[in-house]
Amino acid sequence: MLVMTAALLLAGAGHWSTASEVDRIADLVNDYREYHGLPPVPLSRSLTQVAAAHARDLENNNPDAATDAAGRRCNMHSWSGASGATPVCYTADHARAAQMWSKPREITRGRYTAQGFEIAARYSGGIDADMAFDLWRSSSAHDAVILEDGRWQGSNWQAMGIAVNGRYAVVWFGKAPDPAR
C-alpha cells in the first residue's frame, strides 16, 4: 500500500525522486517512530510537492552554498530565487525560520495552510534513503524532529512529504493533516 501511495504522490509532484527511495525513507522514519512508541506519519501530497521543489532547488541551484548580506553562510533550509519561491538564506541563528516554515503555504498556493518543518541531508556522491536516515539519526537535532523530542515534543506530526534528488534528501513534517491527501 505504501509503495502505491508514494508512486501516486510522486506522479503528481513533478520531481526526480524514485518511489523506492521515498518509500524507503517513509518506512525508515515510521518504523523508527513506531520503535519509540510514536504513531506513523502519513505521506502527504502537498508536503511531497514542497519536498520535491526544495530538493530540486538544492540540487540545481545550491542555495546552501550562498551567504547572506552579513556574510553568514546559508544552510540546507535555504531557497534560491531560481526556485520560483521567495528566496530565503536560512542561517545557523534560525533568524529566518518563519520564512522557511511558511514554504508549504507558498509552494502549494495555500492548499496546505499549516507550517512545515524540514530535515535535510546531503552526501556529495549522491544520497540514498539509508544514507539520509543514518545522517538524520546521528544528528541530535534531526533525530529530535523525527521523534518529536525536546522543542518538538508534542508536535504530533500529521503529514510528511519526502524527496530525494541527486545529493539531497529532504523530509517535511506538518502538524496538520493534508487536505489534498
Side-chain angles (χ1 to χ4, degrees):
M1 173 105 164
L2 184 57
V3 173
M4 185 186 325
T5 303
L8 291 172
L9 288 170
L10 290 170
H15 60 91
W16 300 108
S17 296
T18 64
S20 62
E21 290 303 301
V22 168
D23 289 336
R24 181 82 179 125
I25 290 173
D27 288 344
L28 288 166
V29 166
N30 281 327
D31 289 350
Y32 186 56
R33 288 175 54 82
E34 183 179 359
Y35 177 80
H36 288 278
L38 296 168
V41 183
L43 284 172
S44 155
R45 184 178 305 277
S46 297
L47 291 182
T48 295
Q49 179 185 354
V50 176
H54 197 214
R56 185 175 45 249
D57 185 41
L58 287 164
E59 181 63 28
N60 295 338
N61 303 311
N62 303 110
D64 55 327
T67 55
D68 70 5
R72 294 175 295 209
R73 182 176 165 83
C74 306
N75 66 29
M76 283 188 281
H77 302 304
S78 301
W79 291 70
S80 76
S83 69
T86 306
V88 176
C89 176
Y90 194 104
T91 52
D93 63 3
H94 307 285
R96 297 178 189 94
Q99 291 174 318
M100 191 270 288
W101 295 342
S102 67
K103 287 300 179 204
R105 194 170 23 265
E106 180 181 356
I107 299 299
T108 67
R109 298 181 183 188
R111 185 176 62 242
Y112 190 84
T113 58
Q115 292 180 323
F117 306 92
E118 178 187 55
I119 57 175
R122 174 184 55 223
Y123 186 75
S124 60
I127 199 161
D128 65 22
D130 293 303
M131 281 188 259
F133 187 70
D134 286 345
L135 288 167
W136 292 323
R137 270 197 26 223
S138 65
S139 161
S140 60
H142 294 94
D143 193 60
V145 174
I146 295 169
L147 296 179
E148 301 176 33
D149 199 16
R151 76 177 285 227
W152 303 102
Q153 189 169 12
S155 291
N156 190 26
W157 301 133
Q158 297 294 303
M160 174 174 60
I162 303 167
V164 178
N165 193 326
R167 298 168 293 157
Y168 295 90
V170 299
V171 178
W172 281 77
F173 292 97
K175 293 180 181 181
D178 183 358
R181 276 192 192 183

